[in-house]
Amino acid sequence: MNSKKIISNFINPKFIPVIIFTILPPWIFGLMVLLCGSLPTYLRAKKSIAKLESRGELDKAAAELTSPNSKRYMNGKLVLTDNYVFCKNNGYIFTYDEILWAYKHQETTTFLFIPIQVVSSLYIATKNKKPGMVVSMGKDKLDEIKNSIIEIYSHNNNCLIGYTNDAIAKYNAIKKK
């Protein structure tokens, strides 16, 4: 199997459920899901693969992704290899060197002021991408998020860790350079 297909199969969204919804009578709903949900992820995945191809790292990334030494977190939604961070749900592929900031974010979903669900997410920021969620899981995955942040930091000692006022100020100063 070629390298482009291996990486593409991992980070591209699966269109089968979306296609089924577009064929069934509520085809408008399915089309909206396709356009608003899967299409941005598909475009990010194509851009990430093109970036790896332009740098000549596609074969190396595919080998690392399929390696048994890669570390998988959040039910396989986040894969950390020796040189790359693969984010399955949204199509991002980062090298450790480009990550400037990594932190855990917790959000509580409420209904009529009653807390229903606490969701923990891993946020990553780079020079070109402002802080954004790369993987999200329930509150029982806090250790996995913590371990993934430690793993990112072990590969890149210059990245900021944690969401503090100091980290925000340092990140903003780096972005202005």
Side-chain angles (χ1 to χ4, degrees):
M1 190 182 266
N2 71 17
S3 303
K4 187 173 186 176
K5 192 169 186 174
I6 290 171
I7 294 174
S8 182
N9 284 342
F10 180 76
I11 64 174
N12 277 333
K14 306 298 181 234
F15 286 107
I16 303 293
V18 175
I19 291 171
I20 290 171
F21 278 120
T22 58
I23 294 172
L24 294 175
W27 63 274
I28 294 175
F29 172 74
L31 186 60
M32 294 292 284
V33 169
L34 174 67
L35 293 175
C36 298
S38 299
L39 191 60
T41 301
Y42 175 74
L43 294 174
R44 274 193 301 269
K46 280 186 74 167
K47 187 176 179 181
S48 294
I49 291 170
K51 184 173 72 170
L52 286 175
E53 271 184 320
S54 69
R55 293 189 300 202
E57 298 177 359
L58 192 61
D59 293 333
K60 178 181 172 185
E64 287 187 17
L65 179 62
T66 58
S67 169
N69 296 334
S70 62
K71 296 179 180 162
R72 298 180 183 273
Y73 295 101
M74 279 59 93
N75 299 332
K77 294 179 183 177
L78 180 72
V79 177
L80 303 176
T81 65
D82 293 335
N83 297 299
Y84 303 99
V85 176
F86 294 91
C87 308
K88 183 174 184 168
N89 285 357
N90 46 21
Y92 289 117
I93 301 173
F94 302 109
T95 60
Y96 289 108
D97 296 338
E98 65 184 319
I99 297 174
L100 298 178
W101 188 15
Y103 61 92
K104 173 188 65 78
H105 176 76
Q106 275 190 307
E107 185 175 341
T108 304
T109 305
T110 61
F111 179 72
L112 298 174
F113 305 106
I114 300 170
I116 296 175
Q117 178 183 20
V118 176
V119 177
S120 296
S121 305
L122 173 64
Y123 276 57
I124 289 179
T126 65
K127 185 96 173 161
N128 300 325
K129 178 190 167 309
K130 63 183 180 180
M133 179 187 67
V134 293
V135 67
S136 178
M137 285 301 285
K139 65 180 179 180
D140 59 332
K141 300 292 183 181
L142 290 174
D143 287 339
E144 286 192 40
I145 292 174
K146 178 182 160 191
N147 292 339
S148 62
I149 290 172
I150 291 169
E151 184 73 23
I152 290 169
Y153 186 74
S154 71
H155 285 87
N156 180 2
N157 295 336
N158 297 325
C159 80
L160 302 169
I161 299 298
Y163 191 83
T164 62
N165 290 335
D166 187 39
I168 294 168
K170 286 181 181 177
Y171 174 73
N172 288 332
I174 291 170
K175 285 284 285 189
K176 287 181 182 177
K177 288 182 183 179

